[in-house]
Amino acid sequence: MKRTSLYILIIFLSTLANTVFAENIDYGLFIKAFPFNDQEKTSLVLENNQPIKLKKEMTMTFDMNVRKDNVFGIVFRIITDRKDNIDLIFTVGENDKRYPMLVVKESVYMISEEVVCDKWLPVSITLSSEKNEISIVYDTTELSVPFELAHANNAMISFGLCPFQGFTLYDIASVNIRDINISHGKNPFRLWKLENHDGEQTIDQIAQIPAITTNPRWISDIYASWDKIYSKQIKENSLFAFDPNKNVIYIVSPDSKEVISFDTETKKEEIIAVRDGLVAANAPNQIFYDSRKDRLSSYNLDENIVSHFSFSSHSWSNKTKSILEHGYWNNTVSYSPLDSTLISFGGYGFYKYNNDLIRLSLDQKSIKKSNLPEIPPRYSVSSAIVNNTLYIFGGRGNKSGRQELSPRNYYDFYSVNLLSEQINKLWEINQDSISSEFLPGENLIFDDKEDCFYVFTSKDGGTLLRIRKDRAGYEQVSFSVNEDLTSHYLYTNLYFSPGQKKFYALMNKIKTDKSAEVAIYSLNYPPITINISSTSLQEADEDYDTSHWIIICGVLGLIAALLILYYLVRKKFENRRSGNRQENGIKEVKNISSDIEEKADGKLMEQEQVYYDFSKQSICFLGGFNVMDKNGENITGLFTPMLKYLLVLLVLTTVKDSKGISGRKLIQLLWYDKNEESAKNNRNVYLSKLRSVLENVGSAEIINQNGFWTIKFGEDIICDYTEAVQLFTAIKDRDTQDQTDLDKLLELLLRGVLLPNTEADWVDGFKSDFSNLTIDILTELSQSDYYKLTDDLKLKIADTLFLHDYINEVALYLKCSIYFNSGKKGIAKTVYDNFNKEYSNLLGTKYKYSLTDVVEGKNIEH
């Protein structure tokens, strides 16, 4: 009863917490159906491909979002051990309307509610052997049908493509699913949220049982993966603009002959032949879409020429051909709606970088130039205007502005008051801390809700970064596009569609032979953090802004209050059942500040010194994997198997070699079954998740230096394994004669062996090395006079040796001789008999020494 109540409480709080963040990041499993071919379709099998017990009543609930691609076919299939199938299927009704249908064996039962697409709705199905009934609730519609279930004991459950032999179905519905709950009666049994995943499996939150997928597409990953939606060979020095209202990207030919219109929603292009006029630009990227008047505005900063393109007349307003060479290659331009002015900063021309601020009025065709000396000259800059402030990020140049004097990349952030032109340097990242150099695209996209900026960069072949005004550094919030950006000239930009909630990244590459290509990629909004590198962040960043933390604190406060209430009620219930223990003669007294402990026999003994507190901010490997957060809550359940393996591997390799583990070796051990691109993406995702989870514990750094990964814990985090290895080293090298160090070591070692329930080939070597080190050092200490060993310490050494080698003869000698010589001959005999039994079972022969021989030490070398 207590356990059930706690599970219900956990699920309720988990649901509450996830509700808070559901509006920000969608999650779940995107089941690939038609038009994917059969080999690409998605299958999800619950309970690690094993049957689930039905008991008297089993209920499965989940949330489902139906996509319009293919509203036909199976959603889930339940196959009982009697080979009966129970399915939810979408079928076709009159006038091509789609309806859900319950299928039991060969009987069909229509559900009267028409299928609604693009909306999350709840579904539940209950199998009751007591009632011999199957009932289903689809959104708000209920249906119950009689069916003999009394002799069915368990069932296999799959979503999407059913892989069970003899029951395979390839007609599957296009749905997204999440939050699969299974309960027996009122007792929670499984909860697969389908939020976090390890490639092809996801773990339930109650018993850590995986659900196995084939060809999965995780919705959370969709928010980090770019989709290539367009590519085309174009003319050299073409120009690009974006209409966020119609979601159209325009490609303007520099010879003024055509305008290509690409619709990002329909993925169709239209070529508009220009009837008259000329573009004003004398170089790429000198164009802007003017939403006020639905026109393209091309401009020339060198000659103060503006040309507007009319979509009704298909003509440019300018008749004058530009004659001057361009002096502002790869500048950045932002539009100020307050005065209909384009604001340009930086650029390159005539072998020089500049730091000019240029204001170009589209209506008055006036131009005003000023200089910002506080910002070093540069090109390939990114900018955005928020109210009356221009924000400038990054670029390449130098203080002198002269190309021949060693240009460098800048990773700094400035604000410029456009009224006073007062400049404020907000922050700068040291170039030495950048793991791989990059340049930003032309536009910064400001997110007023999150109070942050997004910028597309050349990092790792094209990635989206998030930066903030008040914190130095950046977050990577997308996987890499993995484009080869090698070119003679490169132009990149980022656009945002509020209506579609999508980012669009545009890349234009011009080669030395003057051939040019444009590629356009899309990314869902909001993006998710992929990787926060310690070499690129000078301050620890947060995943959420202040408002998010207020919500989090509120949720945590409610959780704490409910847990306190739960345990108070539970304690009161227990006390009522057990009565007053003091009346039964049992008196328990604990006083941390006292040096004595009162025992039941009335004797006073010295209280054993405890050196370590693992009740909070701890990461433990000895005796089992266990993690406690800052508040003393056990958060081990937050670690999926892959997240656990990643943390374990980083700790073990960092302790073994301060250089850590190479990125290639990390991938070989954890993502050996994936191609290089997928493996790197997985590595980055899980490193990001690990950093996020470790923030709950304390200060921890995951560092990438020269291609090697290490982990470093702050002083506020304690790890029993690292503590033990440090003590081993000090004792082994005779760096300490402090008896306390041995006491500390034994306290740690008696917690248990290294990672007993963690199974992986690469872990075995670390386990073996740790056990051998433990046995060798403790054996040596037990037979030397380096420390003054009391009988109590010797017994601890023996217990530790038995943990690592349960037929260890030194441990046998220590325990038997101490008990025998202290008059506890019966205990000595029991220890000996248990040892002899284990020895015989393992080696198939009787132990050759008698108890007398052991007590006299004949079984060990002196």
Side-chain angles (χ1 to χ4, degrees):
M1 174 180 177
K2 292 182 291 184
R3 187 175 182 181
T4 300
S5 301
L6 184 57
Y7 277 153
I8 293 172
L9 179 63
I10 290 171
I11 291 175
F12 166 73
L13 295 173
S14 173
T15 303
L16 177 63
N18 278 285
T19 301
V20 172
F21 306 112
E23 65 177 12
N24 295 314
I25 297 293
D26 206 350
Y27 64 93
L29 181 64
F30 178 107
I31 293 182
K32 293 189 285 187
F34 182 83
F36 291 91
N37 60 47
D38 290 346
Q39 289 72 35
E40 296 176 300
K41 290 177 180 177
T42 301
S43 170
L44 171 70
V45 181
L46 305 184
E47 198 68 7
N48 198 22
N49 280 327
Q50 298 298 315
I52 294 176
K53 292 186 180 300
L54 297 178
K55 296 190 175 181
K56 293 182 179 179
E57 181 178 281
M58 185 202 77
T59 299
M60 178 176 71
T61 67
F62 61 94
D63 288 343
M64 175 173 64
N65 187 315
V66 184
R67 306 192 309 273
K68 296 178 181 178
D69 316 347
N70 184 50
V71 190
F72 179 80
I74 196 159
V75 175
F76 68 73
R77 170 156 265 199
I78 301 174
I79 308 297
T80 72
D81 53 355
R82 297 177 61 191
K83 306 301 181 183
D84 297 327
N85 61 284
I86 302 164
D87 313 323
L88 175 62
I89 288 178
F90 291 154
T91 189
V92 182
E94 294 182 0
N95 301 319
D96 199 34
K97 292 183 178 180
R98 307 302 167 104
Y99 292 91
M101 179 172 67
L102 178 66
V103 178
V104 182
K105 298 184 71 173
E106 295 182 354
S107 300
V108 297
Y109 304 92
M110 295 290 293
I111 298 173
S112 59
E113 183 174 342
E114 186 179 353
V115 173
V116 176
C117 295
D118 300 326
K119 177 185 177 181
W120 285 102
L121 55 87
V123 179
S124 72
I125 184 167
T126 300
L127 279 61
S128 174
S129 60
E130 284 187 318
K131 300 178 182 178
N132 278 323
E133 179 182 81
I134 299 173
S135 54
I136 188 168
V137 180
Y138 182 92
D139 194 13
T140 58
T141 303
E142 298 183 23
L143 172 68
S144 296
V145 298
F147 186 73
E148 178 66 45
L149 286 164
H151 300 295
N153 298 312
N154 53 60
M156 301 285 288
I157 303 177
S158 70
F159 285 80
L161 192 150
C162 179
F164 308 140
Q165 187 174 3
F167 292 93
T168 301
L169 286 178
Y170 288 97
D171 284 328
I172 63 176
S174 299
V175 296
N176 302 337
I177 57 172
R178 68 184 184 191
D179 296 339
I180 302 174
N181 282 276
I182 293 181
S183 60
H184 290 132
K186 296 182 179 180
N187 299 323
F189 180 67
R190 297 286 184 265
L191 170 56
W192 288 282
K193 292 196 68 61
L194 307 185
E195 181 177 19
N196 300 316
H197 65 89
D198 177 14
E200 295 187 345
Q201 69 176 19
T202 182
I203 306 299
D204 101 278
Q205 297 188 353
I206 294 177
Q208 287 72 57
I209 303 299
I212 308 300
T213 64
T214 304
N215 301 322
R217 187 177 186 186
W218 302 99
I219 295 175
S220 58
D221 286 0
I222 296 173
Y223 285 81
S225 301
W226 294 95
D227 286 331
K228 191 171 188 177
I229 60 173
Y230 184 81
S231 63
K232 187 181 184 70
Q233 295 292 323
I234 58 174
K235 295 177 181 178
E236 181 189 16
N237 295 340
S238 293
L239 301 93
F240 313 96
F242 178 62
D243 176 358
N245 299 318
K246 298 177 184 175
N247 303 308
V248 171
I249 294 176
Y250 297 103
I251 304 172
V252 177
S253 65
D255 58 9
S256 307
K257 291 184 178 180
E258 66 180 23
V259 174
I260 299 174
S261 167
F262 173 68
D263 190 316
T264 60
E265 189 161 356
T266 64
K267 309 296 188 298
K268 294 180 180 180
E269 73 170 17
E270 177 187 358
I271 298 178
I272 304 171
V274 177
R275 297 171 182 168
D276 191 21
L278 301 169
V279 296
N282 56 350
N285 74 295
Q286 305 291 294
I287 199 169
F288 169 75
Y289 174 76
D290 187 348
S291 59
R292 301 170 306 151
K293 299 184 178 181
D294 186 27
R295 65 186 183 183
L296 294 171
S297 296
S298 171
Y299 53 89
N300 184 322
L301 299 177
D302 298 281
E303 301 174 65
N304 190 19
I305 302 173
V306 176
S307 183
H308 305 297
F309 181 76
S310 168
F311 290 102
S312 59
S313 66
H314 292 184
S315 300
W316 290 101
S317 61
N318 174 53
K319 310 296 182 183
T320 305
K321 187 173 182 178
S322 63
I323 57 175
L324 296 180
E325 187 177 346
H326 186 47
Y328 297 96
W329 289 84
N330 283 104
N331 62 322
T332 178
V333 175
S334 297
Y335 175 69
S336 174
L338 297 177
D339 55 3
S340 302
T341 300
L342 292 179
I343 308 294
S344 168
F345 174 77
Y348 167 81
F350 311 109
Y351 305 101
K352 289 184 179 181
Y353 315 109
N354 75 72
N355 49 0
D356 293 337
L357 184 74
I358 303 175
R359 303 170 188 253
L360 177 65
S361 173
L362 293 176
D363 296 330
Q364 301 176 6
K365 298 183 181 179
S366 63
I367 193 165
K368 177 184 176 182
K369 296 184 180 181
S370 58
N371 186 261
L372 304 181
E374 294 90 341
I375 305 177
R378 60 188 68 190
Y379 75 106
S380 288
V381 197
S382 193
S383 69
I385 294 175
V386 181
N387 299 323
N388 282 314
T389 301
L390 174 70
Y391 291 93
I392 298 172
F393 172 68
R396 182 172 177 81
N398 56 39
K399 290 183 178 180
S400 69
R402 300 179 66 89
Q403 178 183 348
E404 66 271 20
L405 298 181
S406 301
R408 49 157 289 199
N409 284 9
Y410 288 100
Y411 305 97
D412 49 11
F413 199 38
Y414 291 87
S415 66
V416 181
N417 187 310
L418 293 176
L419 300 178
S420 64
E421 293 195 358
Q422 180 179 347
I423 301 168
N424 182 23
K425 186 175 183 177
L426 301 176
W427 48 259
E428 181 173 10
I429 305 172
N430 190 327
Q431 190 175 19
D432 295 336
S433 67
I434 301 298
S435 57
S436 60
E437 292 195 332
F438 62 85
L439 290 173
E442 181 180 355
N443 284 349
L444 289 172
I445 303 296
F446 179 64
D447 186 334
D448 57 350
K449 182 178 179 181
E450 298 291 330
D451 193 25
C452 67
F453 296 88
Y454 294 100
V455 58
F456 186 77
T457 72
S458 61
K459 184 179 187 296
D460 301 327
T463 52
L464 185 69
L465 303 182
R466 176 165 52 209
I467 60 177
R468 301 182 187 275
K469 293 175 284 188
D470 56 350
R471 280 191 290 256
Y474 58 80
E475 297 171 272
Q476 183 172 323
V477 289
S478 79
F479 294 132
S480 171
V481 172
N482 285 322
E483 278 269 357
D484 180 5
L485 300 181
T486 304
S487 60
H488 177 65
Y489 170 84
L490 175 67
Y491 172 73
T492 63
N493 210 341
L494 179 70
Y495 308 116
F496 178 65
S497 167
Q500 294 176 322
K501 290 190 175 181
K502 284 182 181 291
F503 289 108
Y504 293 103
L506 181 145
M507 286 163 279
N508 175 35
K509 296 180 290 185
I510 302 176
K511 298 181 180 180
T512 53
D513 62 1
K514 296 188 178 182
S515 64
E517 180 185 9
V518 64
I520 301 173
Y521 290 81
S522 68
L523 178 75
N524 289 308
Y525 172 90
I528 61 174
T529 301
I530 296 300
N531 183 30
I532 304 175
S533 171
S534 60
T535 58
S536 62
L537 278 177
Q538 292 182 334
E539 295 182 20
D541 206 349
E542 306 292 341
D543 287 336
Y544 304 100
D545 61 11
T546 305
S547 63
H548 285 121
W549 280 112
I550 292 173
I551 296 173
I552 293 173
C553 291
V555 172
L556 292 178
L558 178 60
I559 291 173
L562 289 172
L563 287 175
I564 291 172
L565 178 62
Y566 169 79
Y567 282 110
L568 286 175
V569 173
R570 173 179 167 177
K571 187 67 176 177
K572 184 175 180 180
F573 177 74
E574 288 178 343
N575 287 341
R576 185 175 297 170
R577 284 178 51 190
S578 61
N580 191 331
R581 293 191 176 188
Q582 291 184 354
E583 293 179 1
N584 295 326
I586 301 175
K587 186 177 183 181
E588 297 179 336
V589 180
K590 291 186 179 179
N591 189 341
I592 297 175
S593 63
S594 175
D595 290 333
I596 62 173
E597 180 179 352
E598 187 170 355
K599 301 293 184 180
D601 59 4
K603 294 182 181 180
L604 295 180
M605 300 178 61
E606 290 186 3
Q607 184 176 347
E608 186 173 326
Q609 176 70 50
V610 177
Y611 297 97
Y612 295 101
D613 178 12
F614 295 104
S615 63
K616 63 179 180 179
Q617 292 190 275
S618 64
I619 296 172
C620 297
F621 291 176
L622 304 182
F625 181 80
N626 193 72
V627 182
M628 305 294 289
D629 71 5
K630 298 173 184 177
N631 301 314
E633 296 293 331
N634 192 317
I635 60 170
T636 309
L638 296 179
F639 287 83
T640 63
M642 183 56 72
L643 207 58
K644 171 185 169 182
Y645 285 142
L646 179 57
L647 174 60
V648 167
L649 184 55
L650 287 173
V651 172
L652 294 181
T653 53
T654 301
V655 170
K656 182 178 181 180
D657 185 344
S658 59
K659 188 170 65 174
I661 182 172
S662 70
R664 182 175 296 275
K665 186 67 174 178
L666 189 66
I667 287 175
Q668 287 176 350
L669 293 179
L670 298 184
W671 294 284
Y672 54 87
D673 58 338
K674 302 187 182 301
N675 60 42
E676 183 176 0
E677 178 184 347
S678 177
K680 287 182 178 179
N681 287 340
N682 273 270
R683 181 191 66 191
N684 292 339
V685 168
Y686 278 98
L687 285 169
S688 177
K689 289 180 180 179
L690 181 58
R691 289 188 178 96
S692 178
V693 174
L694 289 179
E695 285 181 359
N696 299 311
V697 184
S699 304
E701 287 184 279
I702 299 175
I703 303 167
N704 180 11
Q705 187 169 6
N706 299 324
F708 283 80
W709 293 89
T710 58
I711 190 167
K712 180 181 179 182
F713 297 132
E715 294 182 357
D716 55 341
I717 295 180
I718 184 170
C719 175
D720 57 0
Y721 173 72
T722 59
E723 286 285 322
V725 172
Q726 289 170 7
L727 289 169
F728 269 137
T729 302
I731 292 173
K732 183 180 179 181
D733 297 340
R734 297 294 192 262
D735 289 341
T736 176
Q737 291 184 341
D738 188 353
Q739 182 85 19
T740 303
D741 285 342
L742 179 58
D743 294 334
K744 288 181 176 179
L745 179 61
L746 290 172
E747 180 180 322
L748 293 171
L749 296 178
L750 283 169
R751 293 173 58 81
V753 297
L754 177 63
L755 298 166
N757 300 315
T758 301
E759 301 297 334
D761 292 341
W762 54 265
V763 178
D764 293 342
F766 289 100
K767 290 182 181 182
S768 177
D769 290 345
F770 188 75
S771 289
N772 289 335
L773 183 63
T774 300
I775 293 169
D776 291 345
I777 290 182
L778 293 187
T779 298
E780 180 183 349
L781 290 177
S782 71
Q783 298 173 4
S784 72
D785 56 359
Y786 186 71
Y787 291 107
K788 295 180 180 179
L789 299 180
T790 63
D791 284 350
D792 184 49
L793 281 175
K794 290 179 180 178
L795 288 174
K796 288 182 179 180
I797 289 175
D799 287 336
T800 304
L801 290 173
F802 273 144
L803 282 174
H804 293 270
D805 177 11
Y806 54 88
I807 57 169
N808 186 279
E809 293 180 273
V810 173
L812 176 68
Y813 162 74
L814 289 173
K815 297 202 79 166
C816 287
S817 60
I818 290 171
Y819 286 134
F820 192 91
N821 294 327
S822 63
K824 300 175 182 177
K825 296 180 176 60
I827 297 178
K829 180 66 164 59
T830 300
V831 171
Y832 173 81
D833 289 343
N834 289 335
F835 176 92
N836 202 20
K837 181 179 178 181
E838 295 292 346
Y839 188 94
S840 177
N841 289 337
L842 182 64
L843 301 179
T845 184
K846 188 177 180 181
Y847 187 54
K848 64 181 179 179
Y849 295 106
S850 66
L851 175 58
T852 303
D853 293 335
V854 171
V855 170
E856 293 176 354
K858 292 183 179 180
N859 66 319
I860 63 171
E861 297 181 1
H862 292 278

